[in-house]
Amino acid sequence: MLRFQEIVNHGPSFTPISTCSKALIAGRYTVQQKLGRGSFGTVYLVKDKKAKDEEQLKVLKETSVGDLKPDETVEANLEALLLSRLDHPAIVKFFTSFVEGESFCIITEYCEGRDLDFNIQEYKEAGKVFPESQIIEWFIQLLLGVNYMHERRILHRDLKAKNIFLKNNFLKIGDFGVSRLLMGSCDLATTFTGTPFYMSPEALQHQGYDTKSDIWSLGCILYEMCCLEHAFTGHNFLSVVLKIVEDDAPSLPDSYPRKLNTVLHSMLSKDPAMRPSAAEILRSSYIDGQLQNMKCKFTNMIKEDQVLNSQKEAAHIITAMQKKVHLQTLRALSEVQKMTPRERMRLRKLNIADEKAKKLKQLAEEKYQENLKRMQELRSRNFHQVNIDVLHESDQPISEHLITSQPVTSLDYLSVGCKKQADSETPGRLCMSDPMEHDLRTLASMKQACSLRSKTSIH
């Protein structure tokens, strides 16, 4: 259950939502249990009837409209406005706001891990400490959320362990009830508000409040996560204030990295101008290195989840296909059972005929491929192109004997184009066809004539 110390006194005319928990609120929400009280009202766990199963549980924050002062009403509306503009994993998600009877209601994300203060006290009582890697991850998540707010000129002004919630072991900043939107970069909020353990020296001395005050509060939270106790403690409010304003910043135990302790001291500097912004801390070498490690870790986790999801999807598809095939088989069997004996006999004969036709088709295809392969082998072995160099230049006349006596290795008469010779010819000898022989003789004569002409012209 969430831990709240602030108490809101409602007037007698106010009817809280808890009295009508059986009825639907805004036509969709039913109260499950009361979680506690916050700065501006009561907090309930509700069930959203119109949401998906995994998103049905939400938080309803109720504020009495009639009992609020005008400036408090503005604060409540401002919270709804701010939350509606924020969309970040490290910030509690805002869904909607509405007025129900005498109550102004805000619906936000439900964080099942309770608040950070509850977890710190639980670890302290059990004598345990948070692992260093866990503290670094949480601290970076808070830095990212605070930087997101400050980039939009939004102050939280009440950062503390009770306003930070856990969901699936991720930290989320919540309770923007005292936030303020800065209208200019030099605008300073002067309202004295917040929890003293986390308040900055300038806020306590009424010197104004800006983004650097949120950095101070974040430094106090970092120290508390490491040491399980407040950075500045005292017996009463005044002693706490004096330590914050006058004492030096505490140091982390030696078991923590020195660079992390340096970051803490910079955040708890008395001079706001000396404190780094959230963006500057994220860009520092130590924090940036830890951030890159986190990215690698979560990237691998996402990849593993994607592989697991794909395997599950594949299993679903295979199961569905098996069911479909099984249903088709059952359907076919049922159709067969409805047939008469003669129809079943005819169906069997048709199936046998189909099988025979399929086998014959396969056999014919195999024979065709075999014959085709054999024909190609014969052609490649017995057919070679005639290699006669009739264009070779020479001063000597080319004799018919040289032309016609070139060896030809082809035995395929039909491929070359020769007619069948007489029975007296020796089998296996190739006979050139008359047209081809005539062409070769003509070429030889022409080349010889050209050679004689060239000699005559020289003389």
Side-chain angles (χ1 to χ4, degrees), residues 213-265:
S213 293
D214 280 346
I215 297 298
W216 173 280
S217 302
L218 192 56
C220 294
I221 293 171
L222 171 61
Y223 182 89
E224 194 172 355
M225 287 191 296
C226 294
C227 303
L228 303 182
E229 61 181 17
H230 297 300
F232 301 94
T233 57
H235 299 291
N236 50 50
F237 182 90
L238 183 58
S239 62
V240 174
V241 171
L242 288 175
K243 285 189 176 182
I244 291 173
V245 174
E246 297 178 357
D247 287 4
D248 295 332
S251 297
L252 296 176
D254 295 336
S255 57
Y256 291 97
R258 184 178 300 176
K259 292 182 178 180
L260 183 61
N261 191 62
T262 302
V263 172
L264 174 68
H265 277 204

Side-chain angles (χ1 to χ4, degrees), residues 107 157 441:
I107 303 294
R157 298 204 301 165
R441 290 173 184 274

Side-chain angles (χ1 to χ4, degrees), residues 1-149:
M1 186 174 293
L2 300 177
R3 296 163 65 91
F4 291 89
Q5 290 181 347
E6 296 84 357
I7 304 296
V8 178
N9 295 321
H10 300 294
S13 61
F14 174 65
T15 304
I17 287 178
S18 58
T19 59
C20 51
S21 58
K22 294 182 180 180
L24 282 178
I25 302 170
R28 59 185 299 174
Y29 304 103
T30 56
V31 175
Q32 302 298 301
Q33 63 174 329
K34 181 178 176 180
L35 297 177
R37 295 209 174 176
S39 304
F40 284 87
T42 310
V43 182
Y44 300 94
L45 176 65
V46 297
K47 187 173 183 180
D48 187 355
K49 297 292 186 180
K50 296 184 180 180
K52 298 178 182 178
D53 292 339
E54 63 274 10
E55 297 179 356
Q56 284 190 344
L57 291 179
K58 296 176 181 177
V59 171
L60 184 149
K61 187 174 181 181
E62 172 200 25
T63 302
S64 172
V65 177
D67 201 43
L68 286 179
K69 297 177 183 178
D71 58 336
E72 293 176 332
T73 304
V74 172
E75 290 283 359
N77 282 280
L78 180 59
E79 178 182 8
L81 177 63
L82 291 178
L83 288 173
S84 66
R85 294 178 179 177
L86 300 179
D87 184 14
H88 192 273
I91 296 176
V92 174
K93 187 176 181 181
F94 168 87
F95 290 106
T96 187
S97 62
F98 55 88
V99 176
E100 182 78 7
E102 300 175 359
S103 302
F104 175 75
C105 302
I106 295 175
I107 303 294
T108 61
E109 181 180 10
Y110 171 59
C111 300
E112 81 290 340
R114 304 186 179 184
D115 61 64
L116 181 59
D117 179 72
F118 179 89
N119 286 269
I120 289 174
Q121 298 303 323
E122 192 175 47
Y123 265 68
K124 188 175 181 179
E125 292 173 2
K128 299 188 297 182
V129 294
F130 295 115
E132 180 184 325
S133 58
Q134 182 67 83
I135 293 172
I136 296 297
E137 287 184 11
W138 283 349
F139 178 56
I140 291 177
Q141 291 168 21
L142 293 176
L143 280 172
L144 292 170
V146 170
N147 181 57
Y148 177 85
M149 291 187 302

